[in-house]
């Protein structure tokens, strides 16, 4: 059957079928089992005007339950100034050509350059690239950099305090690239320095990956980690929540060789779980090992400031087997988004948002424990996310949902991982506590 919303005429279809040597659409789908074929007309409504379509989707959208979010686990409900969406659509950015030809893509190259500069400063490292797909694959790409950088070592260590989705992606990449992955045990919710040293001393380690704050929300102490790694020629890699770096000790200050993570916490909407965009920053000596793009600033023949791609270790630009990255999805629109966010917020604004998130989380934690029905799982410093053991956890969770609150992420049988951002008010926090 030909449907009015499908553009091909019967003549078009017959011409295509003849080209591939079959007579009908039934022959084309002959291998599809009868049991899963649609035997009726498509359930597509009649054509509508723009006004009718808007009303239709408004009505459909009302079926969504919009909850007050206390969940985190790598995705956080941060505020984004409304001006960002307007600046995103400015013609010098929106219509700029993809950055292969510098002369017609100055808008794109300019904001990527600014993005790199800001991320390098935020992480305390020398260089930043652009176009990482999102935080988990950026971490896997950093693992690949460590593996390629090593002469003979084939093992990469990861802290078992990394988020589970990051560990899953690391295992997938490692499996197909011949990398041996080994976990570093945790002690009281944080990465065990002793277990790290035990693995490192065995030799053959190309890199070590940790997370800050870790999957339990704990602010880890990485004192001595970098020295132990570098003594054995291994790279030290920190996956960090970008917004938290406004207050926390930077990866550069910890002696990290590479910093990676997701950009979502820099004002990007939660968007049903992503993907968002990733970042990767490194020391200057690793510049030629980084995947993605690096934009540089120079002057043209007239002495005017111009931007150009200086390093392009992607398969579009060089021989595929020489590429260090085969992820083509260019996330530079999201890089522009967070560049505008950081520009608008400024250093002090980012610090203030992080401080409000920190203070709110500690207030909520104290109030929950004060009820006598919740207990902090790990007695360790945390930032804006913490793990608590809750009496009658499931009943409390369900009660909160009915009141329009997502109270956190369920962990094990009786624990909740709870996050607070600058968007959560004292009234919302007190309401959550009151439900417990």
């Amino acid at each position: 059957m030909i449907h009015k919303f499908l553009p091909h005429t019967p003549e078009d279809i017959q011409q295509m079928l003849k080209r591939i040597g079959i007579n009908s659409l039934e022959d084309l789908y002959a291998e599809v089992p009868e049991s899963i074929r649609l035997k009726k007309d498509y359930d597509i409504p009649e054509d509508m005007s723009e006004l009718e379509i808007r009303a239709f989707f408004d009505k459909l959208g009302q079926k969504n339950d919009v909850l007050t979010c206390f969940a985190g686990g790598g995705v956080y409900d941060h505020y984004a100034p409304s001006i960002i969406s307007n600046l995103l659509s400015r013609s010098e950015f929106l219509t700029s050509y993809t950055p292969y030809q510098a002369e017609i893509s100055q808008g794109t190259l300019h904001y990527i350059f600014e993005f790199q500069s800001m991320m390098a400063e935020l992480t305390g490292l020398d260089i930043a690239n652009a176009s990482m797909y999102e935080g988990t694959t950026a971490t896997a790409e950093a693992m690949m950099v460590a593996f390629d950088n090593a002469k003979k070592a084939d093992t990469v260590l990861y802290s078992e305090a990394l988020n589970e989705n990051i560990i899953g992606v690391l295992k997938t990449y490692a499996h197909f690239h011949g990398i041996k992955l080994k976990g570093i045990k945790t002690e009281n919710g944080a990465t065990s320095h002793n277990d790290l040293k035990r693995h490192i001393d065995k030799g053959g380690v190309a890199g070590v990956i940790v997370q800050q704050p870790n999957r339990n929300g704990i602010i880890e102490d990485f004192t001595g980690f970098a020295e132990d790694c570098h003594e054995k020629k291994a790279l030290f890699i920190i996956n960090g929540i970008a917004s938290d770096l406004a207050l926390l000790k930077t990866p550069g200050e910890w002696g990290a060789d590479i910093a990676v993570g997701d950009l979502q916490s820099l004002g990007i909407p939660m968007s049903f779980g992503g993907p968002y965009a990733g970042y990767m920053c490194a020391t200057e000596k690793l510049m030629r090992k980084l995947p993605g793009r690096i934009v540089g600033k120079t002057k043209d023949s007239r002495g005017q400031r111009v931007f150009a791609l200086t390093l392009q270790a992607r398969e579009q630009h060089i021989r595929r087997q020489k590429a260090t990255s085969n992820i083509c999805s260019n996330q530079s629109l999201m890089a522009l988004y967070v560049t505008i966010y950081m520009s608008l917020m400024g250093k002090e604004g980012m610090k203030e948002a992080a401080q409000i998130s920190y203070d709110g989380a500690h207030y909520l934690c104290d109030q929950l424990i004060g009820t006598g029905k919740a207990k902090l799982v790990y007695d360790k410093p945390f930032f804006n996310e913490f793990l608590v053991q809750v009496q009658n956890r499931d009943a409390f969770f369900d009660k909160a949902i009915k009141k329009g609150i997502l109270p956190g992420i369920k962990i094990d049988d009786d624990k909740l991982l709870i996050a607070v951002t600058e968007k959560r008010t004292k009234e919302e926090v007190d309401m959550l506590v009151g439900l417990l």
Side-chain angles (χ1 to χ4, degrees):
M1 171 191 163
I2 307 304
H3 196 281
K4 65 181 178 181
F5 289 132
L6 304 180
H8 303 115
T9 66
E11 291 76 19
D12 291 334
I13 292 172
Q14 284 304 315
Q15 189 176 348
M16 288 187 282
L17 291 173
K18 184 179 178 182
R19 183 64 181 264
I20 61 176
I22 56 177
N23 297 318
S24 67
L25 288 174
E26 285 70 28
D27 292 341
L28 180 63
Y29 296 109
E31 293 185 11
V32 178
E34 284 282 338
S35 60
I36 63 171
R37 291 199 205 181
L38 184 68
K39 301 288 198 311
K40 56 186 179 181
D41 290 341
Y42 294 116
D43 184 18
I44 299 177
E46 291 299 309
D47 49 342
M48 301 179 190
S49 68
E50 181 180 340
L51 190 63
E52 289 170 325
I53 288 173
R54 287 184 180 276
F56 172 80
F57 280 109
D58 284 344
K59 186 176 180 181
L60 194 64
Q62 289 168 13
K63 294 182 179 181
N64 290 327
D65 291 327
V66 180
L67 306 177
T68 300
C69 186
F70 283 92
V75 181
Y76 304 91
D77 186 21
H78 285 286
Y79 170 73
S82 58
I83 194 175
I84 294 178
S85 59
N86 293 291
L87 292 176
L88 276 176
S89 60
R90 283 184 63 96
S91 60
E92 60 263 55
F93 301 135
L94 188 65
T95 60
S96 283
Y97 188 67
T98 193
Y100 303 135
Q101 294 177 242
E103 65 275 15
I104 54 175
S105 57
Q106 283 299 292
T108 298
L109 292 165
H110 185 186
Y111 70 68
I112 290 177
F113 180 84
E114 300 296 352
F115 167 79
Q116 291 171 179
S117 303
M118 292 180 188
M119 291 309 301
E121 185 168 352
L122 190 63
T123 58
L125 287 165
D126 303 324
I127 194 84
N129 68 2
S131 302
M132 292 287 95
Y133 184 56
E134 38 72 76
T136 54
T137 49
T139 310
E141 297 268 10
M143 173 184 71
M144 298 289 295
V145 172
F147 180 66
D148 293 338
N149 185 65
K151 294 291 189 292
K152 297 178 181 177
D154 61 357
T155 300
V156 173
L157 307 178
Y158 69 90
S159 169
E160 292 179 354
L162 261 64
N163 286 347
E164 289 181 0
N165 58 336
I166 299 173
I167 295 172
V169 173
L170 288 176
K171 288 180 177 178
T172 301
Y173 271 63
H175 174 77
F176 290 101
H177 288 89
I179 301 171
K180 295 177 183 174
L181 262 184
K182 293 183 180 177
I184 306 168
K185 291 184 171 58
T186 60
E187 290 178 8
N188 196 20
T191 310
S192 168
H193 194 175
N194 289 331
D195 198 46
L196 166 66
K197 292 179 76 170
R198 183 177 66 81
H199 282 294
I200 283 276
D201 289 342
K202 290 179 181 178
V205 175
V208 174
I209 305 172
V210 295
Q211 184 175 323
Q212 182 75 305
N214 70 23
R215 69 193 288 178
N216 301 312
I218 294 169
I219 301 171
E220 296 231 21
D221 181 0
F222 296 131
T223 302
F225 278 49
E227 290 78 6
D228 291 338
C229 292
H230 297 154
E231 187 179 333
K232 299 293 183 179
K233 303 289 191 291
L235 296 184
F236 183 42
I237 301 164
I238 297 179
N239 176 295
I241 297 170
S243 61
D244 296 359
L245 295 176
L247 283 184
L248 290 177
K249 197 172 179 179
T250 66
E253 289 173 310
W254 284 120
D257 301 285
I258 304 175
V260 289
D262 210 290
L263 295 170
Q264 187 276 329
S265 61
L266 297 177
I268 296 178
M270 293 188 288
S271 302
F272 302 99
Y276 308 104
Y279 70 85
M280 181 182 287
C281 306
T283 55
E284 191 170 352
K285 68 180 181 181
L286 292 172
M287 187 180 352
R288 293 189 174 275
K289 301 280 186 181
L290 295 186
R293 300 183 172 95
I294 295 177
V295 174
K297 181 176 72 171
T298 183
K299 291 184 179 180
D300 64 11
S301 58
R302 294 169 294 176
Q304 294 179 313
R305 182 185 70 170
V306 292
F307 301 92
L309 287 175
T310 53
L311 289 174
Q312 310 163 51
R314 298 169 69 86
E315 79 284 2
Q316 301 107 305
H317 308 293
I318 61 177
R319 289 197 304 275
R320 189 174 189 88
Q321 62 270 27
K322 294 281 188 181
T324 56
S325 173
N326 290 310
I327 286 188
C328 307
S329 179
N330 178 14
Q331 299 298 84
S332 72
L333 180 65
M334 290 295 94
L336 172 59
Y337 190 106
V338 301
T339 302
I340 297 172
Y341 173 87
M342 288 189 285
S343 301
L344 290 169
M345 298 288 281
K347 288 183 181 179
E348 295 308 312
M350 289 180 64
K351 285 180 181 178
E352 185 177 349
Q355 187 69 56
I356 293 170
S357 302
Y358 176 93
D359 292 343
H362 284 74
Y363 172 76
L364 173 57
C365 182
D366 291 342
Q367 295 299 307
L368 289 173
I369 293 170
T371 66
K373 296 180 179 180
K375 178 184 176 184
L376 192 61
V377 176
Y378 300 112
D379 185 18
K380 292 268 191 175
F382 62 88
F383 197 78
N384 70 318
E385 193 167 20
F386 56 94
L387 189 63
V388 283
Q389 195 171 17
V390 181
Q391 289 181 21
N392 302 316
R393 193 271 313 268
D394 290 345
F396 167 64
F397 191 95
D398 294 343
K399 188 197 295 187
I401 294 292
K402 288 178 181 176
K403 292 290 186 181
I405 298 174
L406 180 59
I409 298 172
K410 292 182 179 181
I411 307 291
D412 300 330
D413 295 328
D414 61 351
K415 299 179 184 68
L416 269 182
L417 183 64
I418 302 175
V420 179
T421 68
E422 75 282 2
K423 282 181 68 174
R424 299 287 72 85
T425 65
K426 184 176 182 296
E427 290 74 20
E428 290 168 343
V429 170
D430 290 340
M431 183 184 294
L432 181 62
V433 175
L435 293 174
L436 184 62

